[in-house]
Amino acid sequence: MGETALSIGANTFQFFTRNPRGGKAKSADPQDAAALMKLAEDNAFGPLLAHAPYTMNPCAAETRLLEFAEMVMREDLQLLELLPGNLYNFHPGSHVRQGAEAGIEKIAAMLNKVLFAEQRTTVLLETMAGKGSEVGRTFEELAAILSKVQLQEKMGVCLDTCHIFDGGYDIVNHLDAVLTEFDKIIGLDRLKAVHLNDSLNMLGSHKDRHARIGEGNIGLEALTAVINHPALKNLPFYLETPNELPGYAAEISLLRARYQA
């Protein structure tokens, strides 16, 4: 994965800890992990971002789904000790008619079960678009989860540009105001990573459909402002656009040309 990232001009990458639609993780090879860490160090990589599978719902209504979520995150955090100092991102989940407050309680309860004092991975809640019964559709919901976690220093947030735009935060016309609101409610010190995506849908649509950079309703100029904003520009950015490797290479080249170091 590290060599593939280098081949397209990237200096970090995101990866799924297991099949994004499945449940079982492959066995980890400590030698492979050590080689990746050396490659990352030799090439001045930013933090690597592990992503939990979409099948994990830590605020599910069914007990078996809650047990599955706890198993996945516990297993993932143990495996990520082979890649110390990196990041782990997950979708807060869907409360499925239980209500957001109940969902928030369940997410925090799971985190308090699986986080451990010695871990060297920072766990990130992802901002969500708010489709269906998703939890994490507002900064207030994310803050509520964080406030209930015991090991506060192990937690952070990943901001997804498509998700917050679809969720109603106008980063096209009012980026400064959105980040000021984030800072007031959550704290910019909690922001550890950015998923950089355009959106196929309009502001506030609550749809969550990613578009290639410059081909959606956020647009290239607004995303350029995101990567150059003083509060964001030193964070790691991860593309989740609908592309193959040549498309990612083109987007990385485009964004690097617009980045103001």
Side-chain angles (χ1 to χ4, degrees):
M1 291 183 288
E3 292 177 351
T4 300
L6 289 172
S7 75
I8 60 173
N11 60 355
T12 190
F13 60 91
Q14 176 175 263
F15 64 96
F16 280 101
T17 57
R18 59 195 70 212
N19 186 316
R21 302 291 178 185
K24 188 175 182 180
K26 293 182 179 179
S27 298
D29 184 333
Q31 290 186 331
D32 283 349
L36 174 57
M37 290 297 288
K38 186 174 189 309
L39 182 145
E41 181 180 358
D42 290 347
N43 291 278
F45 271 31
L48 307 180
L49 181 58
H51 199 303
Y54 298 132
T55 47
M56 192 181 90
N57 185 2
C59 61
E62 296 183 39
T63 300
R64 65 178 181 84
L65 296 178
L66 290 176
E67 291 173 347
F68 172 77
E70 181 180 336
M71 179 275 292
V72 167
M73 186 174 286
R74 191 184 302 278
E75 186 175 274
D76 284 353
L77 291 179
Q78 290 292 340
L79 289 172
L80 286 170
E81 286 299 293
L82 294 173
L83 301 172
N86 289 295
L87 306 169
Y88 178 71
N89 179 73
F90 75 101
H91 292 183
S94 296
H95 62 73
V96 196
R97 296 183 298 278
Q98 299 171 95
E101 288 187 9
I104 287 165
E105 292 289 344
K106 287 186 172 183
I107 296 162
M110 188 197 72
L111 288 166
N112 286 330
K113 288 181 179 179
V114 302
L115 298 181
F116 54 100
E118 299 81 13
Q119 76 182 53
R120 295 173 289 176
T121 300
T122 300
V123 176
L124 308 183
L125 295 165
E126 184 171 341
T127 59
M128 301 309 295
K131 67 180 186 294
S133 60
E134 281 181 338
V135 177
R137 67 181 63 205
T138 65
F139 298 158
E140 286 84 357
E141 289 186 356
L142 295 175
I145 297 168
L146 291 169
S147 72
K148 297 176 186 298
V149 176
Q150 294 163 1
L151 295 175
Q152 291 277 310
E153 70 278 10
K154 307 299 182 184
M155 294 298 302
V157 172
C158 176
L159 185 150
D160 186 300
T161 53
C162 171
H163 292 178
I164 64 169
F165 181 77
D166 283 19
Y169 292 97
D170 189 356
I171 59 171
V172 175
N173 300 299
H174 303 291
L175 178 60
D176 282 339
V178 171
L179 292 176
T180 296
E181 185 175 354
F182 185 100
D183 192 31
K184 180 180 178 182
I185 296 169
I186 297 176
L188 283 168
D189 60 316
R190 291 280 198 183
L191 187 53
K192 305 298 183 183
V194 177
H195 282 161
L196 195 70
N197 304 301
D198 214 323
S199 174
L200 287 175
N201 294 103
M202 301 301 292
L203 176 69
S205 63
H206 303 294
K207 294 288 188 181
D208 183 12
R209 294 186 64 200
H210 297 191
R212 297 183 181 93
I213 301 299
E215 296 183 13
N217 289 299
I218 299 176
L220 180 58
E221 293 306 316
L223 292 172
T224 297
V226 167
I227 65 172
N228 286 304
H229 194 283
L232 305 176
K233 66 181 301 179
N234 293 318
L235 293 172
F237 291 86
Y238 307 87
L239 294 167
E240 293 183 321
T241 50
N243 271 311
E244 300 296 333
L245 287 178
Y248 287 126
E251 288 185 337
I252 291 168
S253 177
L254 172 66
L255 292 165
R256 284 196 186 283
R258 286 176 163 258
Y259 180 73
Q260 300 167 8

